[in-house]
Amino acid sequence: MDRRQPIGIELVKKGVVSEDDIKQAIEYQRSHPNKRIGDILDILGLCDSKTLIDAIGEILEEKAIYLTQNDVRIDITNYISLDIVKESKVIPFEIVSGKIKVCFADTTNRKTVDKIRLLLLNKGLVMEKYITLESNIERIIDGLEGTATENINANADTSGLVDSIIKTAMEKRASDIHIEPLENIVRVRYRIDGGLVTAVEVNKEKQPQLIGRLKAISNMHQEKQESQDGRILTYPDYNIRVSSQKNVYGEKFVLRLLKKNGNIRNIFDLGFPNDEQLLKKSFNKKNCITIIAAPTGEGKTTTLYSIIDYLNNPKINVTTIEDPVEIRIDGLNQIEIDSKAGFSDSLRTVLRQDPDIILVGEIRDTETAEIAMQAGQTGHYVLSTIHTIDSIEVITRLRKMGVSNYDISSILATSVSQRLVRRICPHCSKERDFTDQEKEIIKQIGEKYNVNFDLQGKKTFEAVGCKECNQSGYLDRIGIFEVLNIDEEIKDLISRDASSLEIRRKALETGYKPLVVDGIYKVLSGITTLEEINNKLIIY
């Protein structure tokens, strides 16, 4: 499309535009030299957009498409970052049989085309190139970014800007706000349903005032440029944790948005297998410990709250030790740890308060692990979380913390692992049949774990994207779970210092099903997609 005059002549020959239209476009180009003739014809409205790009595709011997939101059937930012999308004017929009279809505003720029091709090849995808109009690319990008920019830029003063950034994040259900000084701008991104989305780019000149305001409302030292932690308490419904970290272009801030009095969701609504017997067997216990395992940001604390809500009644004394207390629950004794008393110190004190159930927010070190185990041995039911990849690796993690095999086998009753996957957006999802490749993947997983997945009459969904889901194709998240109840055979293996491989083999023989099995069930139920399960667990 950079061969401006010949393209214009060819378009006239094809009868798409008139000579007067081309003259008008060339006149416009004199004051906009970076615009190509095809794009100018579209900007001036001199031709139907789809007819125009189809004709340009024929002239350049390229595949052409005028993209609608329905044509974008993947989450773009899973494959190319929004920054590269904006810089390179490129949109990946569909994957078919291992090939990813990608639209370019300029297919003659070999450097850009090769860069994108290599980027996608590193993700195991072969690129299929298409051409479209630059305005078409920009419209899709605007949809990706949502309306946050308009809302935020409406505020000129610094305090209003910061307030707008935070309130817009709340409206968009963001869990975190990233405020990042770059070389020429300050970038603001929101984490929504686990993914980062660029909300706005702030003028670099506003950086000192922006940082100053954030420090002021977070109760941080203004002069210090080392890492700091603070809190924003000026929003009635939220407890906002703030972390600052110096980088080469200034200080980066991350704001974690925690609702003070959020509603506790029923554990089945979180995605836990809808089995009342399994629920009772896993959590209705005494003289033991139950541990929820997952990496950071996968919803462990939310699950703990749901379990506590399920168990709580006026006849028992429930005490929680948290950092911080994220949701306040009526009838519970909730303790927030501080710099003077960590989890282990607080746990020692709680044991003298006659508790029946103790929730320890996280087992972070050997001391906390040992005291939690002692609490389980002395008649209490302890619930906690730990950072590890699955329910069987909980045993390995406790061993590495120095907990004896005897204590683990006698006190650990249940370990649960979970991941959060995005739900398919109900407003824009597109139903389709499973491909042969997808059916084969599901069949192989079923054979590996002795599960008969019934695909008869089942459909899956494409993630399309609309205003409701910020063009991602997904809206909200749900948990996928695996549960390991420690029976006598597993206890015996632990006490004999068996490896995690031996324990896993025995667990599979006795009914344990790994995360991927629950994930496939949720795909077959139309809740999420195979692609989303693969993003979390890498199954193909």
Side-chain angles (χ1 to χ4, degrees):
M1 289 175 72
D2 60 340
R3 297 181 296 162
R4 297 182 179 91
Q5 188 65 25
I7 283 280
I9 293 170
E10 291 293 337
L11 289 170
V12 171
K13 286 180 179 178
K14 284 180 172 290
V16 175
V17 292
S18 67
E19 290 185 15
D20 286 342
D21 292 334
I22 295 299
K23 287 176 183 177
Q24 193 176 337
I26 291 170
E27 185 62 33
Y28 181 92
Q29 194 178 56
R30 289 195 179 100
S31 55
H32 301 83
N34 293 325
K35 294 290 183 184
R36 293 177 290 275
I37 286 291
D39 294 317
I40 293 170
L41 290 168
D42 187 53
I43 290 167
L44 297 177
L46 298 173
C47 179
D48 173 70
S49 299
K50 188 178 184 311
T51 304
L52 178 62
I53 194 58
D54 286 345
I56 290 172
E58 288 179 18
I59 294 165
L60 297 179
E61 297 181 343
E62 299 273 14
K63 293 178 181 176
I65 185 172
Y66 191 81
L67 285 174
T68 66
Q69 295 292 358
N70 288 336
D71 293 318
V72 183
R73 296 179 180 176
I74 58 175
D75 184 347
I76 292 168
T77 54
N78 280 345
Y79 303 94
I80 301 176
S81 74
L82 189 57
D83 295 332
I84 293 176
V85 164
K86 291 167 70 176
E87 176 192 350
S88 302
K89 296 290 192 294
V90 55
I91 298 287
F93 63 96
E94 187 178 15
I95 295 177
V96 179
S97 303
K99 286 187 177 182
I100 184 165
K101 298 179 180 181
V102 183
C103 251
F104 291 82
D106 182 6
T107 54
T108 63
N109 187 330
R110 300 307 310 168
K111 186 177 178 181
T112 296
V113 171
D114 290 342
K115 179 179 78 172
I116 301 300
R117 190 189 305 280
L118 183 60
L119 179 67
L120 295 169
L121 197 59
N122 288 337
K123 293 179 180 287
L125 294 164
V126 175
M127 187 181 82
E128 188 175 331
K129 183 178 50 158
Y130 284 75
I131 191 168
T132 194
L133 298 165
E134 186 172 334
S135 58
N136 192 198
I137 297 275
E138 288 173 346
R139 181 176 53 78
I140 300 292
I141 291 172
D142 287 344
L144 280 173
E145 292 184 311
T147 57
T149 303
E150 294 174 18
N151 296 340
I152 293 168
N153 283 341
N155 298 275
D157 64 295
T158 306
S159 61
L161 173 62
V162 171
D163 184 59
S164 182
I165 288 170
I166 294 171
K167 284 182 176 176
T168 303
M170 293 171 179
E171 290 167 8
K172 288 186 168 288
R173 305 177 299 105
S175 60
D176 302 85
I177 305 170
H178 290 240
I179 299 172
E180 305 163 310
L182 304 180
E183 185 175 7
N184 300 311
I185 56 163
V186 179
R187 181 176 62 185
V188 178
R189 294 192 289 175
Y190 296 151
R191 188 173 293 282
I192 301 171
D193 294 337
L196 282 171
V197 178
T198 300
V200 69
E201 294 174 352
V202 179
N203 193 305
K204 189 73 172 176
E205 293 174 1
K206 291 188 176 182
Q207 181 173 315
Q209 297 95 320
L210 188 62
I211 289 172
R213 177 62 181 168
L214 284 166
K215 286 183 175 180
I217 62 175
S218 306
N219 292 312
M220 291 181 174
H221 295 289
Q222 288 286 350
E223 296 79 16
K224 282 178 65 176
Q225 291 197 358
E226 297 92 12
S227 302
Q228 295 187 68
D229 292 313
R231 288 191 185 179
I232 299 173
L233 303 172
T234 53
Y235 296 88
D237 296 330
Y238 283 83
N239 180 0
I240 303 175
R241 284 190 285 175
V242 184
S243 171
S244 74
Q245 173 70 57
K246 186 178 179 182
N247 69 19
V248 293
Y249 297 118
E251 290 176 81
K252 175 183 175 178
F253 284 75
V254 176
L255 285 63
R256 168 64 59 90
L257 307 181
L258 301 168
K259 277 196 171 183
K260 286 181 180 175
N261 297 297
N263 294 325
I264 298 172
R265 294 167 66 184
N266 180 285
I267 191 159
F268 294 134
D269 292 339
L270 294 180
F272 192 84
N274 195 9
D275 183 339
E276 191 73 36
Q277 288 302 114
L278 177 63
L279 187 67
K280 288 179 179 178
K281 183 180 178 181
S282 302
F283 303 120
N284 200 3
K285 298 176 181 287
K286 293 181 180 178
N287 305 307
C288 62
I289 185 168
T290 289
I291 293 179
I292 312 294
T296 302
E298 294 292 345
K300 298 185 296 295
T301 303
T302 303
T303 300
L304 276 185
Y305 279 128
S306 294
I307 297 166
I308 286 291
D309 187 57
Y310 166 72
L311 297 172
N312 189 25
N313 70 68
K315 295 181 180 180
I316 61 173
N317 177 13
V318 181
T319 301
T320 76
I321 306 167
E322 304 170 67
D323 178 26
V325 172
E326 295 186 13
I327 300 177
R328 300 188 181 188
I329 306 172
D330 232 14
L332 266 61
N333 303 290
Q334 294 178 275
I335 298 166
E336 189 163 275
I337 68 169
D338 54 34
S339 56
K340 295 178 183 177
F343 280 116
S344 56
D345 293 328
S346 298
L347 186 50
R348 283 194 190 91
T349 305
V350 164
L351 289 174
R352 298 193 288 271
Q353 293 284 312
D354 188 31
D356 296 297
I357 298 175
I358 305 169
L359 184 153
V360 181
E362 183 184 342
I363 295 176
R364 294 178 178 173
D365 51 46
T366 300
E367 192 175 14
T368 306
E370 288 176 345
I371 299 168
M373 288 292 175
Q374 289 168 18
Q377 287 172 327
T378 54
H380 308 94
Y381 179 39
V382 180
L383 287 154
S384 192
T385 72
I386 204 164
H387 283 193
T388 191
I389 59 172
D390 64 29
S391 55
I392 290 171
E393 287 304 315
V394 167
I395 298 162
T396 305
R397 187 85 175 89
L398 290 171
R399 283 170 170 170
K400 287 184 176 179
M401 284 184 175
V403 181
S404 71
N405 282 322
Y406 170 78
D407 283 343
I408 297 171
S409 63
S410 60
I411 306 303
L412 180 63
T414 304
S415 61
V416 177
S417 185
Q418 67 181 74
R419 296 291 188 279
L420 292 178
V421 296
R422 294 177 299 172
R423 288 175 177 268
I424 198 78
C425 176
H427 304 286
C428 63
S429 60
K430 185 178 179 182
E431 190 179 66
R432 66 165 174 83
D433 292 325
F434 283 98
T435 65
D436 290 341
Q437 183 185 14
E438 289 169 334
K439 288 178 182 177
E440 184 60 29
I441 290 166
I442 293 170
K443 180 185 172 185
Q444 288 175 4
I445 291 168
E447 289 173 351
K448 183 176 181 180
Y449 298 113
N450 195 28
V451 179
N452 181 24
F453 293 118
D454 183 13
L455 284 163
Q456 187 68 35
K458 292 289 194 301
K459 301 276 188 178
T460 188
F461 292 89
E462 291 283 1
V464 178
C466 64
K467 184 179 179 182
E468 297 293 330
C469 61
N470 290 308
Q471 306 303 326
S472 69
Y474 296 91
L475 186 64
D476 204 1
R477 292 189 287 176
I478 191 168
I480 56 173
F481 290 82
E482 65 176 39
V483 180
L484 177 67
N485 283 306
I486 312 294
D487 61 18
E488 293 304 318
E489 290 181 284
I490 301 293
K491 285 178 185 287
D492 182 56
L493 285 172
I494 294 169
S495 62
R496 291 195 283 109
D497 199 32
S499 68
S500 58
L501 188 62
E502 293 174 272
I503 294 169
R504 190 180 304 277
R505 191 180 298 121
K506 175 56 69 176
L508 286 167
E509 290 173 8
T510 55
Y512 156 82
K513 301 299 180 190
L515 284 164
V516 66
V517 172
D518 191 37
I520 297 299
Y521 278 130
K522 287 183 169 66
V523 171
L524 297 179
S525 300
I527 295 170
T528 188
T529 63
L530 202 60
E531 182 183 17
E532 183 65 7
I533 300 299
N534 187 54
N535 287 340
K536 286 289 181 176
L537 302 178
I538 312 177
I539 58 175
Y540 57 85

